[in-house]
């Protein structure tokens, strides 16, 4: 018989798949002897079966639930119906991968019209009892019966202002009783049924609702964003309640063992007295810094510090801990590895190594590749900031970044405007899980309520999105769509700039500058490099990009695209002269001019590379890309080339291709116009030799694109080598260079053995190889690829993540065969997939030498290669 429910005593941290992260960690903390209220967990398997079998709890699960409840009652000596010892529980969701704020939780379950009186009597605190009941009515209504939370909240807030109560906790017992009565009517009006009075009915319906919530929109969006599979399901934890809302000796809070924004090794947390559950996170009242707890309840603070330290040592990573204090008794309700900013992630990883808690390899695994990419985001320019008008300076720096954009006041508008291409900044008093899609669409998020652990802050940090919370010096009015700040007002569509690192908001757009990288970043990247086996090169051709790539740790250039160099006005006209000339002589004249330009380019590039390898790809795109398109342009080209308009048009028409991507491009250009590649090779080697005379031993690697047969390659190779040899004699100097090919047709893969004997290197061009293997045109795939993914025909977009089964197999075979006949051949990947984390995990298993990607993806790719190496495993070379 399958075991669907585990008591906390039966679980442990390693059982995350089954018990979810929250359940497994609650069990683990109990094992460690920490003060955790008792409970039990319904497994993720129960969830998946529930969802797959008509959304009904099976008899087996129900039976087990009754058994567990009975045992639980015995352990706690409490029950739902006991006047002496009343049992109240929380029902908490928790998947294997934490999804903060995404899933549902219900507190104080077990209360009803009768039990609330018992609770009031037992605790001698009617206010407290009815506060618990109104919370249950709200949470249960929203989660189980889909009653909009706003219906409860609006009434609650109106009630508060009607009687001028500042805080929730100021509402007296009668008030809360009245609110409960109102809430029960909301059930009748909205759900057409009363709030269920029977605790066991409440419990079953709550469990079912949590399972169901795995399927709701916001959970789906979050999973998509974080690539969390549907099939893992969520567990449900049933846990005895402890009460943070039972007076001023009680409270609830959240703390991180280290600062989640900066990474500083100091406890960082917030709490509220006389509050329950999500009050801190929801940003209803601005919470207190955990430092104040030292004064308010010194021994609880002391005890908490110890627990925090113990948990961090145990999990070997920064922890995000939820706790509740009931009458000065500390309870720990959750721990997990804390979400953090990219900077903090690096800082913490470096500190943990230096503190001797983890190894370098573990450190490499502790930082998400996504974080590295975020670190390269720009900051505001200091001078520009100085000159800018500040709107708010009271906000908290919840998640760093520098963003400018139009103000919007709702998630829907954010989404809509972003879809139209606008940069938007979402401004809300506070955010809630319903806002998730709007948050994704925005460049930054600003709230007036809530602290560093509020929903907005935590979710934004998880997304790596700029966020400022608690801007108490401005007012956000979402009804009138207005922001009031000390010196004026703003309307929807006005532009502001948000400094997430400082927590400041400015008027208008503020100029940005490149990110500066910390010493920790350098240290961490150094470790990644030590751990990694694959090299990372960059795809780049402009000096700025190349310099950036080298600063980011690239080991060379994996792809210089020469076609980009032909688009400057003067060069373009020579290129056009070349294409549109009838005689070889004219073509060579035009080429000689182009060659001068190319030499300058190559010299700059090779000089920047120094002794690091640089692959230069000879001209690849179809010629018509260089031709004039508009009539105006054609007239001007005709004049420049001294031909008649009709002659030019005629010639252009003759170059027209039905399917240019499969047409006259790549090495086929040089088969028809050999002088083209010869000129380029000559320019490369001349530049290299010139640099050699200056003492720079550069390493150009000349790459012939789109090869699909050996003789195609050998024909061009012979011409190029012949030219280079003559050059060497002329200049009385020998050049270091390699000659290889780009592997981007399936045929090239099939003949890898023979081709490899002729080549010094192979470089996989995964874009074309994917296009040609599937026969999908990359430019048209948008029309059908979504349908493929919706229908589960493809589970990835093969242009973004390597198709392991097909293209991956080609790459594997080709690599193995090439290395077996030519062990010194260098093999790399230079297509888009060279920078993709999941693709890199596969590439790392092959006998490849490097991956290459755009400069800004280099650090992320470097970390990917290191992580892949730690995870290990290499496919066997036959
Ligand atoms: P989330 O996954 O959104 O963090 P949780 O299940 O952790 O949701 O519940 C949210 C909050 O509810 C907790 O941080 C805690 O403050 C409160 N809570 C949950 N269970 C209990 C309990 N048994 N006693 C007291 N408070 C609880
Ligand atoms: Mg929650
Ligand atoms: Mg929680």
């Amino acid at each position: 018989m399958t075991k669907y429910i585990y008591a906390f005593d039966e679980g442990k941290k390693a059982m995350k798949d089954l018990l979810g992260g929250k359940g497994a960690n609650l069990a683990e903390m109990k094992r460690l002897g920490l003060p955790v209220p008792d409970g039990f967990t319904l497994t993720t398997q129960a969830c998946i079966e529930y969802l797959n079998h008509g959304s009904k709890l099976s008899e087996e699960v129900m039976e087990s639930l009754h058994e567990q409840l009975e045992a639980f009652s015995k352990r706690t000596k409490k029950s739902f119906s006991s006047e002496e010892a009343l049992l109240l529980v929380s029902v908490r969701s928790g998947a294997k991968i934490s999804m903060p704020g995404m899933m549902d939780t219900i507190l104080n379950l077990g209360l009803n019209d009768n039990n609330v009186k018992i609770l009031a009597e037992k605790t001698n605190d009617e206010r407290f009892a009815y506060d618990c009941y109104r919370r249950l009515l709200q949470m249960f209504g929203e989660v189980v019966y889909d009653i909009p939370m706003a219906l409860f909240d609006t009434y609650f807030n109106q009630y508060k202002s009607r009687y001028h109560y500042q805080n929730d906790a100021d509402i007296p017992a009668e008030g809360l009783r009245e609110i409960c009565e109102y809430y029960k009517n909301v059930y009748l009006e909205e759900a057409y049924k009363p709030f269920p009075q029977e605790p066991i009915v409440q419990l079953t319906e709550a469990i079912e609702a949590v399972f169901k919530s795995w399927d709701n929109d916001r959970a789906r969006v979050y999973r998509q964003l974080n690539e969390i599979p549907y099939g893992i399901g969520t567990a449900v934890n049933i846990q005895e309640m402890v009460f943070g809302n039972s007076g001023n000796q009680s409270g609830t809070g959240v703390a991180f063992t280290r600062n989640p924004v900066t990474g500083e090794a100091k406890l960082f947390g917030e709490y509220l007295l006389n509050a329950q559950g999500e009050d801190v996170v929801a940003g209803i009242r601005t919470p207190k810094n955990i430092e104040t707890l030292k004064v308010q309840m010194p021994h609880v603070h002391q005890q908490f510090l110890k627990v925090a330290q113990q948990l961090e040592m145990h999990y070997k990573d920064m922890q995000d801990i939820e706790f509740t204090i009931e009458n000065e008794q500390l309870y720990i309700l959750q721990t997990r590895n804390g979400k953090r900013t990219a900077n903090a992630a690096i800082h913490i990883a470096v500190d943990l190594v230096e503190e001797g808690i983890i190894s370098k390899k573990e450190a490499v695994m502790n930082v998400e590749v996504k974080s590295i990419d975020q670190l390269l985001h720009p900051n505001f320019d200091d001078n520009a900031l100085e000159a800018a008008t500040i709107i708010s300076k009271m906000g908290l720096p919840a998640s760093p970044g520098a963003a400018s954009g139009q103000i919007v006041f709702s998630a829907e508008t954010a989404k809509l405007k972003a879809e139209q291409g606008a940069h938007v900044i979402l401004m809300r008093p506070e955010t809630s899980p319903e806002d998730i899609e709007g948050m994704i669409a925005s460049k930054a998020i600003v709230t007036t309520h809530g602290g560093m652990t509020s929903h907005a802050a935590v979710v934004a940090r998880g997304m790596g999105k700029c966020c400022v919370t608690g801007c108490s010096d401005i007012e956000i009015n979402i009804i009138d769509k207005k922001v009031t700040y000390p010196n004026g007002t703003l309307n929807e569509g006005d532009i502001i700039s948000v400094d997430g690192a400082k927590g400041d908001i400015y008027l208008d757009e503020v100029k940005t500058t490149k990110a500066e990288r910390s010493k920790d970043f350098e240290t961490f990247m150094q470790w990644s490099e030590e751990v990694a086996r694959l090299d990372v090169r960059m795809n780049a051709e402009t000096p700025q990009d190349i310099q950036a790539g080298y600063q980011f740790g690239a080991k060379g250039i994996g792809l210089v695209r020469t076609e980009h160099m032909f688009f400057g006005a003067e060069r373009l006209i020579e290129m056009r002269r070349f294409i549109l000339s009838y005689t070889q002589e004219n073509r060579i004249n035009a080429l000689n001019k182009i060659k001068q330009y190319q030499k300058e380019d190559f010299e700059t590039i090779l000089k920047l590379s120094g002794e690091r390898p640089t692959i230069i790809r000879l001209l690849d795109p179809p010629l018509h890309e260089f031709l004039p398109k508009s009539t105006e342009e054609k007239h001007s080209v005709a004049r420049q080339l001294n031909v008649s308009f009709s002659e030019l048009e005629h010639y252009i028409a003759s170059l027209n291709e039905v399917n240019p991507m499969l047409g006259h491009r790549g090495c086929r250009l040089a088969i028809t116009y050999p002088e083209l590649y010869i000129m380029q090779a000559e320019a490369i080697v001349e530049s290299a030799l010139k640099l050699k005379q200056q003492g720079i031993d550069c390493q150009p690697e000349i790459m012939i694109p789109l090869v699909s047969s050996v003789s195609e390659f050998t024909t061009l190779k012979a011409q190029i080598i012949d030219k280079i040899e003559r050059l060497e004699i002329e200049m009385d100097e020998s050049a270091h260079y390699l000659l290889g090919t780009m592997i981007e047709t399936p045929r090239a893969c099939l003949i890898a053995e023979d081709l490899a004997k002729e080549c010094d290197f192979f470089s996989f061009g995964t874009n074309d190889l994917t296009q040609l293997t599937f026969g999908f045109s990359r430019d048209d795939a948008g029309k059908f690829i979504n349908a493929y993914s919706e229908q589960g025909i493809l589970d990835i977009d093969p242009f973004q993540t390597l198709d392991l089964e097909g293209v991956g197999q080609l790459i594997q075979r080709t690599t193995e065969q090439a290395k077996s006949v030519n062990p010194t051949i260098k093999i790399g990947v230079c297509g888009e997939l060279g920078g993709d984390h999941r693709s890199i995990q596969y590439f790392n298993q092959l006998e490849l030498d490097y991956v290459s990607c755009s400069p800004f993806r280099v650090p992320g790719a470097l970390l990917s290669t290191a992580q892949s190496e730690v995870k290990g495993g290499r496919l066997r070379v036959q």
Side-chain angles (χ1 to χ4, degrees), residues 257-322:
T257 54
R258 288 168 198 247
N259 188 313
V261 181
T262 63
E264 189 194 358
K266 181 168 177 236
L267 188 69
F268 176 95
E270 295 173 327
Y271 71 102
L272 278 172
L273 289 186
N274 202 5
Q276 188 175 50
E278 310 256 79
D279 288 1
V280 175
V281 182
I284 292 166
R285 272 188 276 158
T286 303
K288 291 200 168 111
N289 190 304
I290 194 133
E291 283 287 296
T292 2
L293 190 63
K294 210 191 272 178
V295 185
Q296 286 189 319
M297 294 181 205
H299 68 276
V300 175
H301 183 263
Q302 192 54 36
Q303 189 190 355
F304 185 74
L305 272 182
K306 263 180 66 186
V307 170
Q309 217 169 40
Q310 186 184 354
L311 284 174
E312 191 179 271
M313 288 302 279
H314 186 72
Y315 285 94
K316 292 178 162 202
D317 195 6
M318 184 262 256
Q319 295 297 294
D320 166 358
I321 305 169
E322 296 177 356

Side-chain angles (χ1 to χ4, degrees), residues 22 93 100-105 218 278 433:
K22 196 181 286 172
S93 58
M102 281 307 122
M103 304 280 300
D104 297 320
T105 287
R218 63 181 206 236
E278 310 256 79

Side-chain angles (χ1 to χ4, degrees), residues 782-798:
K783 298 200 176 76
F784 52 83
I785 214 126
N786 278 347
Y788 272 63
S789 110
E790 272 158 25
Q791 295 176 37
I793 295 170
L794 272 179
D795 55 358
I796 44 121
D797 174 349

Side-chain angles (χ1 to χ4, degrees), residues 418-711:
E419 276 164 9
Q420 292 161 2
H423 287 188
V424 299
I425 292 178
L426 181 63
M427 296 189 87
R428 305 276 301 168
E430 68 229 356
T431 62
S432 73
E434 281 70 39
D435 296 324
I436 178 95
E437 286 185 273
M439 294 173 77
I440 295 172
S442 304
K443 294 283 165 204
I445 296 137
V446 175
T447 70
T448 45
H449 298 341
M452 296 291 281
T453 55
S454 66
H455 178 266
V458 172
V459 174
R461 279 200 292 276
M463 292 180 186
K465 190 148 290 195
C466 175
C467 175
V468 174
T469 57
C471 300
S472 49
D473 48 352
I474 61 172
E475 198 183 301
I476 296 175
N477 184 331
I478 52 174
I479 312 274
D480 300 338
K481 301 188 179 163
K482 260 192 177 20
V483 177
T484 317
Y485 65 98
N487 295 318
T489 56
L490 297 170
N491 298 306
E492 187 169 276
D494 287 351
I495 308 269
I496 59 165
S497 294
V498 182
D499 185 342
K502 296 208 187 75
D504 297 336
I505 319 283
Y506 295 89
L507 208 56
D508 297 327
E509 189 171 331
V510 178
K511 218 177 86 189
T512 55
T513 58
K514 273 196 312 211
E516 268 175 45
R517 292 177 309 280
S518 64
K519 202 174 129 266
D520 285 340
F521 179 86
E522 304 299 340
T523 310
F524 181 79
M525 290 318 296
Q526 178 65 38
W527 293 345
S528 303
E529 224 179 287
E530 283 169 29
V531 171
R533 180 189 66 84
L534 280 180
D535 279 350
V536 178
R537 294 197 195 178
M538 68 178 120
N539 303 340
E541 44 274 324
T542 67
Q544 298 93 299
D545 279 1
I546 294 173
Q547 273 161 338
Y550 280 133
Q551 273 176 13
F552 291 150
K555 288 276 181 64
I557 303 183
L559 179 64
V560 170
R561 303 174 188 84
T562 48
E563 56 271 22
H564 291 334
M565 302 169 174
F566 289 88
F567 284 108
E570 302 161 342
R571 303 165 173 215
L572 190 55
I573 188 68
E574 294 308 329
M575 191 58 194
R576 285 170 171 169
R577 208 187 295 282
F578 166 74
I579 299 169
L580 298 168
S581 297
Y582 291 102
T583 66
Q584 192 177 32
E585 191 192 336
N586 281 350
R587 278 203 302 270
I588 290 178
N589 282 341
L591 276 182
N592 275 335
K593 291 218 176 113
I594 299 174
K595 185 178 148 197
Q596 291 315 312
Y597 293 123
Q598 290 259 276
K599 262 183 73 179
E600 285 165 31
D601 296 328
F602 295 148
E603 220 179 288
T604 314
I605 293 171
L606 290 171
K607 199 168 176 173
L608 287 169
S609 278
E611 297 182 359
R612 293 169 286 210
T614 301
I615 291 190
I616 299 172
R617 178 175 71 184
L618 304 181
L619 197 69
D620 180 51
L623 289 182
H624 75 88
E625 282 192 14
F626 296 101
L627 295 178
K629 305 270 164 353
S630 70
T631 315
E632 223 184 346
E633 241 189 320
K634 285 181 194 164
H635 273 297
S636 119
V637 170
R639 259 195 317 275
Q640 282 166 322
L641 297 184
N642 209 6
V643 292
S644 75
F645 181 78
S646 62
E647 201 180 342
L648 181 75
E649 277 218 304
H650 185 252
Y651 202 92
I652 291 175
S654 75
L655 288 174
N656 187 40
E657 289 178 285
V658 176
N659 201 337
M661 291 317 279
L662 297 177
H664 194 191
R665 55 170 288 222
C667 64
R668 299 159 204 171
L669 292 172
I671 297 292
T672 48
Y673 304 119
E675 56 278 10
L676 186 62
Y677 279 7
I678 293 175
M679 175 279 286
Q680 287 195 294
E682 204 178 0
I684 292 170
V685 171
E686 276 181 25
S687 318
L689 288 177
K690 189 168 162 201
L691 289 169
K692 196 171 178 193
Q693 283 163 357
Q694 297 170 20
I696 304 171
D697 189 14
C698 51
Q699 311 287 323
E701 304 186 344
I702 302 170
M703 179 156 74
I704 298 179
L706 213 70
V707 163
S708 53
S709 73
V710 178
S711 45

Side-chain angles (χ1 to χ4, degrees), residues 100-113:
M102 281 307 122
M103 304 280 300
D104 297 320
T105 287
I106 299 170
L107 304 181
N108 311 324
L109 191 135
L111 280 179
N112 53 27
D113 291 353

Side-chain angles (χ1 to χ4, degrees), residues 22 92 322 334 336:
K22 196 181 286 172
R92 317 172 62 188
E322 296 177 356
Q334 188 170 351
R336 62 183 162 212

